[in-house]
């Protein structure tokens, strides 16, 4: 725990080098990343939550350079988010039976018999 706290404190120092727009997004990203471990218990599609967490660096980079996030930055964010949902749903499909026994949620459970179609749709959405 001490190592994790020290690393978080060091990472927080990086905020000093960001402009205000990037700093605000970084705080939101930290909240999303910090709450992700709970997602499988409370969120019906935790892979979507993971996609948001993994993709948040994209709008942060745009904000750090431009001071704002243009439409293109949000499109890249969404594309990456769909890509994460697609690949992590494929992994979740293998664990579906164990997840059901443990009472945790996943996109494979949520999509049910439409899981392959949902993965394909997410890959298509990520490439648009």
């Amino acid at each position: 725990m001490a190592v994790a706290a020290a690393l978080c404190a060091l990472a927080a120092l990086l905020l000093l080098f960001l402009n205000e727009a990037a700093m605000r997004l970084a705080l939101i990203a930290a909240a999303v990343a910090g709450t992700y471990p709970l997602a499988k218990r409370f969120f019906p599609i935790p892979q979507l939550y993971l996609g948001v967490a993994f993709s948040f660096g994209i709008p942060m980079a745009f904000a750090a350079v431009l001071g704002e996030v243009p439409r293109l930055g949000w499109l890249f964010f969404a594309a990456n988010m769909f890509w994460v949902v697609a690949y992590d749903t494929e992994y979740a499909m293998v664990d579906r039976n164990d997840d059901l026994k443990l009472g945790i949620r996943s996109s494979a459970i949520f999509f049910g018999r439409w899981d392959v179609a949902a993965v394909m749709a997410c890959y298509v959405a990520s490439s648009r």
Side-chain angles (χ1 to χ4, degrees):
M1 292 303 282
V3 171
L7 291 173
C8 285
L10 287 172
L13 290 175
L14 295 174
L15 291 173
L16 299 174
F17 300 101
L18 298 176
N19 60 31
E20 186 180 338
M23 194 178 302
R24 278 189 261 124
L25 289 172
L27 294 174
I28 295 168
V32 170
T35 57
Y36 170 70
L38 302 171
K40 284 192 169 198
R41 293 283 179 198
F42 304 107
F43 197 68
I45 308 175
Q47 286 72 15
L48 181 60
Y49 206 95
L50 179 67
V52 170
F54 278 10
S55 302
F56 233 94
I58 295 168
M60 284 176 53
F62 274 96
V65 173
L66 303 175
E68 65 179 10
V69 183
R71 183 174 181 263
L72 180 64
W74 292 115
L75 288 173
F76 283 164
F77 171 84
N80 195 69
M81 185 185 63
F82 279 115
W83 183 77
V84 171
V85 171
Y87 84 74
D88 207 48
T89 298
E90 291 179 72
Y91 285 108
M93 290 161 69
V94 176
D95 296 330
R96 185 183 349 238
N97 292 336
D98 292 333
D99 290 348
L100 286 167
K101 288 177 191 174
L102 295 171
I104 59 177
R105 299 170 185 196
S106 76
S107 53
I109 294 168
F110 182 83
F111 295 136
R113 67 185 185 117
W114 301 103
D115 55 359
V116 173
V119 167
M120 290 174 20
C122 285
Y123 278 131
V124 168
S126 73
S127 66
R128 294 286 168 206

Coordinates of all heavy atoms in Angstrom, one line a residue, residues 13-67:
L13 N 2.2 14.7 -9.0 CA 3.1 15.8 -9.3 C 3.1 16.2 -10.8 O 3.4 17.3 -11.1 CB 4.5 15.5 -8.8 CG 4.7 15.4 -7.3 CD1 6.1 14.9 -7.0 CD2 4.5 16.8 -6.7
L14 N 2.8 15.2 -11.6 CA 2.8 15.5 -13.1 C 1.7 16.5 -13.4 O 1.7 17.1 -14.4 CB 2.6 14.2 -13.8 CG 3.7 13.2 -13.7 CD1 3.3 11.9 -14.4 CD2 5.0 13.7 -14.3
L15 N 0.6 16.5 -12.6 CA -0.5 17.5 -12.8 C 0.1 18.9 -12.9 O -0.5 19.8 -13.5 CB -1.5 17.4 -11.7 CG -2.4 16.1 -11.7 CD1 -3.2 16.1 -10.5 CD2 -3.2 16.0 -13.0
L16 N 1.1 19.2 -12.2 CA 1.7 20.5 -12.1 C 2.2 21.0 -13.5 O 2.3 22.2 -13.7 CB 2.9 20.6 -11.1 CG 2.5 20.3 -9.7 CD1 3.8 20.2 -8.8 CD2 1.5 21.3 -9.1
F17 N 2.4 20.1 -14.4 CA 2.9 20.4 -15.7 C 1.8 20.5 -16.8 O 2.1 20.8 -17.9 CB 4.0 19.4 -16.2 CG 5.2 19.4 -15.2 CD1 5.3 18.3 -14.3 CD2 6.1 20.3 -15.3 CE1 6.3 18.3 -13.4 CE2 7.2 20.3 -14.4 CZ 7.3 19.3 -13.5
L18 N 0.6 20.3 -16.4 CA -0.5 20.4 -17.3 C -1.3 21.7 -17.3 O -1.3 22.4 -16.2 CB -1.5 19.2 -17.0 CG -1.0 17.8 -17.1 CD1 -2.1 16.8 -16.6 CD2 -0.5 17.5 -18.5
N19 N -1.9 22.1 -18.4 CA -2.7 23.2 -18.4 C -4.1 22.9 -17.7 O -4.3 21.7 -17.3 CB -3.0 23.8 -19.8 CG -3.6 22.8 -20.7 OD1 -4.4 21.9 -20.3 ND2 -3.3 22.8 -22.0
E20 N -4.9 23.9 -17.5 CA -6.1 23.6 -16.7 C -7.1 22.6 -17.3 O -7.6 21.8 -16.6 CB -6.9 25.0 -16.5 CG -8.1 24.8 -15.6 CD -8.8 26.2 -15.4 OE1 -8.2 27.2 -15.6 OE2 -10.0 26.1 -15.0
A21 N -7.2 22.7 -18.6 CA -8.1 21.7 -19.3 C -7.7 20.3 -19.1 O -8.4 19.4 -18.8 CB -8.2 22.1 -20.8
A22 N -6.4 20.1 -19.3 CA -5.8 18.7 -19.2 C -5.9 18.3 -17.7 O -6.1 17.1 -17.4 CB -4.4 18.7 -19.7
M23 N -5.7 19.2 -16.8 CA -5.7 18.9 -15.4 C -7.1 18.4 -15.0 O -7.3 17.4 -14.2 CB -5.3 20.1 -14.5 CG -5.0 19.7 -13.1 SD -4.4 21.1 -12.1 CE -3.0 21.7 -13.0
R24 N -8.1 19.1 -15.4 CA -9.5 18.7 -15.1 C -9.8 17.3 -15.7 O -10.4 16.5 -15.0 CB -10.5 19.7 -15.7 CG -10.7 20.9 -14.8 CD -11.8 21.8 -15.2 NE -11.3 22.9 -16.0 CZ -11.6 23.2 -17.2 NH1 -12.5 22.6 -17.8 NH2 -11.0 24.2 -17.8
L25 N -9.4 17.0 -16.9 CA -9.6 15.7 -17.5 C -8.8 14.6 -16.7 O -9.3 13.5 -16.5 CB -9.2 15.7 -18.9 CG -10.2 16.5 -19.9 CD1 -9.6 16.6 -21.3 CD2 -11.5 15.8 -19.9
A26 N -7.6 15.0 -16.3 CA -6.8 14.0 -15.5 C -7.4 13.7 -14.2 O -7.4 12.5 -13.8 CB -5.4 14.6 -15.2
L27 N -8.1 14.6 -13.6 CA -8.8 14.3 -12.3 C -10.0 13.4 -12.6 O -10.2 12.4 -11.8 CB -9.2 15.6 -11.6 CG -8.1 16.4 -11.1 CD1 -8.6 17.8 -10.6 CD2 -7.3 15.7 -10.1
I28 N -10.7 13.6 -13.7 CA -11.8 12.7 -14.0 C -11.2 11.3 -14.4 O -11.8 10.3 -13.9 CB -12.6 13.3 -15.2 CG1 -13.3 14.6 -14.8 CG2 -13.6 12.2 -15.7 CD1 -13.9 15.3 -16.0
A29 N -10.2 11.3 -15.1 CA -9.5 10.0 -15.5 C -9.1 9.2 -14.2 O -9.2 8.0 -14.2 CB -8.4 10.2 -16.4
A30 N -8.5 9.9 -13.3 CA -8.1 9.3 -12.0 C -9.3 8.7 -11.3 O -9.2 7.6 -10.7 CB -7.4 10.3 -11.1
A31 N -10.4 9.4 -11.3 CA -11.6 8.9 -10.6 C -12.1 7.6 -11.3 O -12.5 6.6 -10.7 CB -12.7 9.9 -10.6
V32 N -12.1 7.7 -12.7 CA -12.6 6.5 -13.4 C -11.6 5.3 -13.2 O -12.1 4.2 -12.9 CB -12.7 6.8 -14.9 CG1 -12.9 5.6 -15.8 CG2 -13.8 7.8 -15.2
A33 N -10.3 5.5 -13.3 CA -9.4 4.5 -13.1 C -9.5 3.9 -11.6 O -9.4 2.7 -11.4 CB -8.0 4.9 -13.4
G34 N -9.7 4.8 -10.7 CA -9.7 4.4 -9.3 C -11.0 3.6 -8.9 O -10.9 2.7 -8.0
T35 N -12.0 3.8 -9.7 CA -13.3 3.1 -9.4 C -13.5 1.9 -10.3 O -14.4 1.1 -10.1 CB -14.5 4.0 -9.5 OG1 -14.5 4.6 -10.8 CG2 -14.5 5.1 -8.5
Y36 N -12.6 1.7 -11.3 CA -12.7 0.6 -12.2 C -12.8 -0.8 -11.5 O -13.6 -1.6 -11.9 CB -11.6 0.5 -13.3 CG -11.7 -0.7 -14.0 CD1 -12.7 -1.0 -14.9 CD2 -10.7 -1.7 -13.9 CE1 -12.8 -2.2 -15.6 CE2 -10.8 -2.9 -14.5 CZ -11.8 -3.2 -15.4 OH -11.9 -4.4 -16.1
P37 N -12.0 -1.1 -10.5 CA -12.1 -2.4 -9.8 C -13.5 -2.7 -9.3 O -13.8 -3.9 -9.2 CB -11.1 -2.3 -8.7 CG -10.1 -1.3 -9.1 CD -10.9 -0.3 -9.9
L38 N -14.3 -1.8 -9.1 CA -15.7 -2.0 -8.6 C -16.7 -2.3 -9.8 O -17.8 -2.7 -9.5 CB -16.2 -0.8 -7.8 CG -15.4 -0.5 -6.5 CD1 -15.9 0.8 -5.9 CD2 -15.4 -1.6 -5.5
A39 N -16.2 -2.0 -11.0 CA -17.1 -2.0 -12.1 C -17.8 -3.4 -12.3 O -18.9 -3.5 -12.7 CB -16.4 -1.6 -13.4
K40 N -17.0 -4.5 -12.1 CA -17.6 -5.8 -12.4 C -18.7 -6.2 -11.4 O -19.4 -7.1 -11.6 CB -16.5 -6.8 -12.4 CG -15.6 -6.8 -13.6 CD -14.8 -8.1 -13.7 CE -14.2 -8.1 -15.1 NZ -13.7 -9.5 -15.4
R41 N -18.7 -5.5 -10.3 CA -19.8 -5.7 -9.3 C -21.0 -4.9 -9.5 O -22.1 -5.4 -9.2 CB -19.3 -5.5 -7.9 CG -18.2 -6.4 -7.4 CD -18.8 -7.7 -7.0 NE -17.7 -8.6 -6.6 CZ -17.9 -9.9 -6.5 NH1 -19.0 -10.4 -6.8 NH2 -16.9 -10.6 -6.2
F42 N -20.9 -3.7 -10.1 CA -22.0 -2.8 -10.1 C -22.4 -2.3 -11.5 O -23.5 -1.8 -11.7 CB -21.7 -1.6 -9.3 CG -21.4 -1.9 -7.8 CD1 -20.1 -1.9 -7.4 CD2 -22.4 -2.4 -7.0 CE1 -19.8 -2.2 -6.0 CE2 -22.1 -2.8 -5.7 CZ -20.8 -2.7 -5.2
F43 N -21.5 -2.4 -12.5 CA -21.8 -1.9 -13.8 C -22.1 -3.0 -14.8 O -21.3 -4.0 -14.8 CB -20.6 -1.1 -14.3 CG -20.8 -0.2 -15.4 CD1 -21.6 0.9 -15.3 CD2 -20.2 -0.4 -16.7 CE1 -21.8 1.8 -16.4 CE2 -20.4 0.4 -17.8 CZ -21.3 1.5 -17.6
P44 N -23.2 -3.0 -15.5 CA -23.6 -4.1 -16.4 C -22.6 -4.5 -17.5 O -22.5 -5.6 -17.9 CB -24.9 -3.8 -16.9 CG -25.1 -2.3 -16.7 CD -24.2 -1.9 -15.6
I45 N -21.8 -3.5 -18.0 CA -20.8 -3.7 -19.0 C -19.5 -3.1 -18.5 O -19.1 -2.1 -18.9 CB -21.3 -3.1 -20.3 CG1 -22.7 -3.5 -20.7 CG2 -20.3 -3.5 -21.5 CD1 -23.2 -2.8 -22.0
P46 N -18.8 -3.9 -17.7 CA -17.5 -3.3 -17.1 C -16.5 -3.1 -18.2 O -15.6 -2.3 -18.1 CB -17.1 -4.4 -16.1 CG -17.8 -5.6 -16.5 CD -19.1 -5.2 -17.1
Q47 N -16.6 -3.8 -19.4 CA -15.7 -3.6 -20.5 C -15.8 -2.1 -21.0 O -14.8 -1.6 -21.5 CB -15.9 -4.6 -21.5 CG -15.4 -6.0 -21.2 CD -16.2 -6.7 -20.1 OE1 -17.3 -6.4 -19.8 NE2 -15.6 -7.8 -19.6
L48 N -17.0 -1.6 -21.0 CA -17.2 -0.2 -21.4 C -16.5 0.7 -20.4 O -15.9 1.7 -20.8 CB -18.7 0.1 -21.5 CG -19.1 1.5 -21.9 CD1 -18.6 1.8 -23.3 CD2 -20.6 1.7 -21.9
Y49 N -16.6 0.4 -19.1 CA -16.0 1.2 -18.1 C -14.4 1.2 -18.3 O -13.8 2.2 -18.2 CB -16.3 0.7 -16.7 CG -16.3 1.7 -15.6 CD1 -17.4 2.4 -15.2 CD2 -15.1 1.9 -14.9 CE1 -17.4 3.3 -14.2 CE2 -15.1 2.8 -13.8 CZ -16.2 3.4 -13.5 OH -16.1 4.3 -12.4
L50 N -13.9 0.0 -18.6 CA -12.5 -0.2 -18.9 C -12.1 0.6 -20.1 O -11.1 1.3 -20.2 CB -12.2 -1.6 -19.1 CG -10.7 -2.0 -19.4 CD1 -9.8 -1.7 -18.2 CD2 -10.6 -3.4 -19.8
G51 N -13.0 0.6 -21.2 CA -12.7 1.4 -22.4 C -12.6 2.8 -22.1 O -11.7 3.5 -22.7
V52 N -13.5 3.4 -21.3 CA -13.4 4.8 -20.9 C -12.1 5.0 -20.2 O -11.3 6.0 -20.5 CB -14.6 5.2 -20.0 CG1 -14.4 6.6 -19.4 CG2 -15.9 5.1 -20.8
A53 N -11.7 4.2 -19.2 CA -10.5 4.3 -18.4 C -9.3 4.3 -19.4 O -8.4 5.2 -19.3 CB -10.4 3.3 -17.4
F54 N -9.2 3.3 -20.2 CA -8.0 3.2 -21.1 C -8.0 4.3 -22.2 O -6.9 4.6 -22.7 CB -8.1 1.8 -21.9 CG -7.5 0.7 -21.1 CD1 -7.2 0.8 -19.7 CD2 -7.4 -0.5 -21.7 CE1 -6.8 -0.3 -19.0 CE2 -6.9 -1.6 -21.0 CZ -6.6 -1.5 -19.7
S55 N -9.1 4.9 -22.5 CA -9.1 5.9 -23.6 C -9.0 7.3 -23.2 O -8.8 8.2 -24.0 CB -10.5 5.7 -24.4 OG -10.6 4.4 -24.9
F56 N -9.0 7.5 -21.9 CA -9.0 8.9 -21.4 C -7.7 9.6 -21.7 O -7.7 10.9 -21.7 CB -9.3 8.9 -19.9 CG -10.4 9.9 -19.5 CD1 -11.7 9.4 -19.4 CD2 -10.2 11.2 -19.4 CE1 -12.7 10.2 -19.1 CE2 -11.2 12.1 -19.1 CZ -12.5 11.6 -19.0
G57 N -6.6 8.9 -22.0 CA -5.4 9.6 -22.4 C -5.5 10.4 -23.7 O -4.8 11.4 -23.9
I58 N -6.4 10.0 -24.5 CA -6.6 10.7 -25.8 C -7.1 12.1 -25.6 O -6.5 13.0 -26.1 CB -7.5 9.8 -26.7 CG1 -6.8 8.5 -27.0 CG2 -7.8 10.6 -28.0 CD1 -7.6 7.5 -27.7
P59 N -8.2 12.3 -25.0 CA -8.7 13.7 -24.8 C -7.7 14.5 -23.9 O -7.5 15.7 -24.1 CB -10.1 13.6 -24.1 CG -10.2 12.2 -23.6 CD -9.3 11.4 -24.5
M60 N -7.0 13.8 -23.0 CA -6.0 14.5 -22.1 C -4.9 15.0 -23.0 O -4.4 16.2 -22.8 CB -5.5 13.6 -21.0 CG -6.5 13.4 -19.9 SD -5.9 12.2 -18.7 CE -4.3 12.9 -18.3
A61 N -4.4 14.3 -23.9 CA -3.3 14.7 -24.8 C -3.8 15.9 -25.7 O -3.0 16.9 -25.8 CB -2.9 13.5 -25.7
F62 N -5.0 15.8 -26.2 CA -5.5 16.9 -27.0 C -5.6 18.2 -26.1 O -5.2 19.3 -26.5 CB -6.9 16.6 -27.6 CG -6.8 15.9 -28.9 CD1 -6.9 14.5 -29.0 CD2 -6.7 16.6 -30.1 CE1 -6.9 13.9 -30.2 CE2 -6.6 16.0 -31.3 CZ -6.7 14.6 -31.4
A63 N -6.1 18.0 -24.9 CA -6.3 19.2 -24.0 C -4.9 19.8 -23.6 O -4.7 21.0 -23.5 CB -7.1 18.8 -22.8
A64 N -3.9 18.9 -23.4 CA -2.6 19.4 -23.0 C -1.9 20.2 -24.1 O -1.3 21.2 -23.8 CB -1.7 18.2 -22.6
V65 N -2.2 19.8 -25.4 CA -1.5 20.5 -26.5 C -2.4 21.7 -26.9 O -1.8 22.8 -27.2 CB -1.3 19.5 -27.7 CG1 -0.8 20.2 -28.9 CG2 -0.3 18.4 -27.2
L66 N -3.7 21.5 -27.0 CA -4.5 22.5 -27.6 C -5.3 23.4 -26.6 O -5.9 24.4 -27.0 CB -5.6 21.9 -28.6 CG -5.0 21.1 -29.7 CD1 -6.1 20.4 -30.5 CD2 -4.1 21.9 -30.6
G67 N -5.3 22.9 -25.4 CA -6.1 23.6 -24.3 C -7.6 23.3 -24.4 O -8.4 23.8 -23.6

